[in-house]
Amino acid sequence: MSKTAKDKSVRRKAVPKRKQVKQQAPTIESYVRKLSKERLVEIVLRQVRSDESLERELHDEILQQFGKPSDFIEDARQLVDNAVNTELSFDHRGYAEVVDYWPVRAVFERLFKEKQYETLLELGPIVAAGSQYQIEVSSNDFEPHYSVSECIGLVMQALLKSEWPKPDKIVYAVRLVIEDDYCACENAAEVLNRRWARRDWKQAAETLRKLIPEYPEGKYARKRLDRWIAMAEEKGGG
């Protein structure tokens, strides 16, 4: 075989070079799925620290699985304290950023299911009073008014379920109403519109009269108190 023929044969048998394929970068999802457990925990904890709603969600899950009644009570007190003492941030018009009472509403619902009526009755007036200025200056026409109203609705259900004397239930509801300038406690009607016995209204009127020194003359709360005293006396038989 000639040299030329040999060269052609070699060229025919030569393996063609493969094109080098550039490796495509993985998607975020596929990358995350392959991360180590330690790295994933680090990422999640960083996100939890920067996201209050996620932190709250995980906190609620922990309470649901491992919490005792005392844990729920302490959690409720802390949430209420945080809500009513929120430092307000005002815009150029003088309106404040909405204060979020939905976590309070959620924990109130939990307390009601756990029959922690006394705790709800303790916290109800704090929410009612503490939210008044926040409602007044809120940049939103519906919040926090609506969520506070929902909270008070649960408090009223707890009041009806409680073992308090009936006249005391009336007085409790009246006090919420007379100190409310923005109808956030309108669910107190659930208690006040009930058909209580005359003796209950009569005794409630006597207790309400004892509250007069707490409310200065000329204030709206005092005018409301006077009206409720008159109403209670009428319902009590004069």
Side-chain angles (χ1 to χ4, degrees), residues 13 20 42 75 91 102 115 118 144 154 180 182-183 189 205 224-225:
K13 293 179 181 179
Q20 191 173 4
E42 179 188 340
D75 185 51
D91 61 22
W102 280 109
K115 300 182 179 181
E118 291 299 321
L154 287 163
D180 177 21
Y182 301 99
C183 300
R224 297 185 196 115
L225 175 60

Side-chain angles (χ1 to χ4, degrees), residues 85-99 133-134 137-140:
N85 292 304
T86 298
E87 186 173 347
L88 299 179
S89 176
F90 292 86
D91 61 22
H92 68 282
R93 301 170 301 165
Y95 292 111
E97 186 177 348
V98 176
V99 179
Y133 179 66
Q134 296 167 345
V137 299
S138 177
S139 60
N140 188 299

Side-chain angles (χ1 to χ4, degrees), residues 100-118:
D100 186 8
Y101 274 85
W102 280 109
V104 176
R105 196 256 183 224
V107 79
F108 272 25
E109 189 171 32
R110 176 71 184 186
L111 288 172
F112 184 77
K113 288 178 180 177
E114 295 289 337
K115 300 182 179 181
Q116 298 293 330
Y117 305 139
E118 291 299 321

Side-chain angles (χ1 to χ4, degrees), residues 31-32 35 38-48:
Y31 177 74
V32 169
L35 290 176
E38 291 73 17
R39 177 62 175 147
L40 286 172
V41 169
E42 179 188 340
I43 293 172
V44 169
L45 288 177
R46 187 193 307 162
Q47 183 63 29
V48 168

Side-chain angles (χ1 to χ4, degrees), residues 2-85:
S2 67
K3 185 176 179 182
T4 305
K6 285 182 179 179
D7 290 343
K8 289 180 180 180
S9 176
V10 170
R11 284 199 294 272
R12 283 197 298 269
K13 293 179 181 179
V15 178
K17 291 183 178 180
R18 293 183 179 179
K19 291 183 179 179
Q20 191 173 4
V21 179
K22 190 176 180 181
Q23 188 176 6
Q24 190 174 11
T27 63
I28 293 294
E29 181 178 348
S30 62
Y31 177 74
V32 169
R33 289 183 180 278
K34 293 178 181 179
L35 290 176
S36 66
K37 180 179 179 181
E38 291 73 17
R39 177 62 175 147
L40 286 172
V41 169
E42 179 188 340
I43 293 172
V44 169
L45 288 177
R46 187 193 307 162
Q47 183 63 29
V48 168
R49 295 187 189 104
S50 63
D51 188 334
E52 289 184 11
S53 62
L54 178 57
E55 182 180 21
R56 183 68 214 172
E57 182 180 339
L58 292 175
H59 181 71
D60 288 344
E61 287 182 15
I62 292 170
L63 284 179
Q64 290 284 352
Q65 294 184 44
F66 308 105
K68 304 183 294 294
S70 58
D71 295 327
F72 285 106
I73 291 171
E74 184 57 35
D75 185 51
R77 287 182 176 138
Q78 187 61 56
L79 281 171
V80 168
D81 184 67
N82 291 345
V84 300
N85 292 304

